[in-house]
Amino acid sequence: MTYTPTYLQARYGAQAAAWPVPHHPVVEHILSHRSVRNFLPDALPPDTVQTLVAAAQSAPSSSNLQTWSVVAVHSQHSRDRLAELAGNQAHIRTAPLILVWLADLSRIARIAQYKDQPADGLPYLDTYLMAVIDAALAAQNAVVAAEALGLGTVYIGALRNQPEAVAQVVGTPAGVFPVFGLVVGHPDPARPAAIKPRPPQASVLHHERYTAPASLTDEIGDYDAQLRDFQASEGLSEIDWSDLVLQRLANADSLKGRHRLVEALQGAGFPLR
Ligand SMILES: Cc1cc2nc3c(=O)[nH]c(=O)nc-3n(C[C@H](O)[C@H](O)[C@H](O)COP(=O)(O)O)c2cc1C
């Protein structure tokens, strides 16, 4: 049985009516994702971290190398510091937990030491990329699980604004790099998050071969207008998505410290050959 649920309309606007989705609780669950930035300070149910990490460890892993780790940061002191390092994002202070997801090549480096064998593939860019991909897949599984438990989450890429300072807070050794944080908590029912629209599927979906559109309208349809409507309904200042992305990537300064990433990675023991 297929139907067009309201959350699909929220995601795609009018075009959603053209593609009903199967009525399936897991699909519905994934389609109704929203980042949460307003949390209650209440503690999480016992064993939440174990459940989320079990979900994370159930994700696929490149060659089963398992090149990720996660630090569960509960302490108010450390969360305050991480909030400060991430551009003062208040939700990091309020919610009871931030998971710091790590690209972790140190485990394999240690295994090579224990076994007195080489691991000369570690310093290559692809190995780092595998670790980042592993960390992202693991984290997203944790997001899906957290949302299924009625919790809210928001990723914190801003931890990469000052990665060396973040590494100090979470005590990571060489060969370990913080990829992003994930705030986890009880959503504040008084300030619920809404489903954010996405660009039309034609923006991201190609059949057989990539076709580069020739105009902004071909590129993103009416997504600028849709996102403006969303921002207005959320009481946010309105800006076209196409301007937002250009602002975000206008120059090195607009990367908010992340233009130093290669240097930071090299300092953390990732030569990136
Ligand atoms: C890797 C990554 C890093 C992110 N970093 C931040 C962040 O630092 N602060 C924040 O408020 N949201 C952050 N987000 C959340 C995005 O802004 C959000 O996913 C996007 O606007 C789409 O909204 P939605 O998740 O509600 O659908 C991040 C998302 C991802 C995937």
Side-chain angles (χ1 to χ4, degrees), residues 236-270:
L236 302 168
S237 53
E238 290 178 52
I239 177 172
D240 281 351
W241 179 77
S242 54
D243 288 330
L244 191 76
V245 296
L246 293 177
Q247 254 179 35
R248 176 73 181 71
L249 296 175
N251 50 46
D253 281 349
S254 57
L255 296 182
K256 299 184 176 160
R258 299 188 212 173
H259 61 289
R260 295 186 48 258
L261 195 64
V262 168
E263 184 189 327
L265 277 163
Q266 287 169 345
F270 293 82

Side-chain angles (χ1 to χ4, degrees), residues 200 202-203 213-221:
S203 271
S215 71
L216 183 59
T217 307
D218 290 347
E219 201 71 68
I220 62 168

Side-chain angles (χ1 to χ4, degrees), residues 143-162:
V143 166
V144 173
E147 290 175 347
L149 297 172
L151 300 171
T153 66
V154 62
Y155 282 100
I156 306 293
L159 288 191
R160 295 193 308 280
N161 295 3
Q162 300 184 64

Side-chain angles (χ1 to χ4, degrees), residues 200-235:
Q201 283 207 357
S203 271
V204 299
L205 172 63
H206 303 259
H207 291 284
E208 314 308 339
R209 287 175 60 78
Y210 191 101
T211 316
S215 71
L216 183 59
T217 307
D218 290 347
E219 201 71 68
I220 62 168
D222 66 350
Y223 189 52
D224 278 341
Q226 271 200 57
L227 204 64
R228 275 180 171 277
D229 287 348
F230 173 81
Q231 290 156 346
S233 67
E234 291 297 291

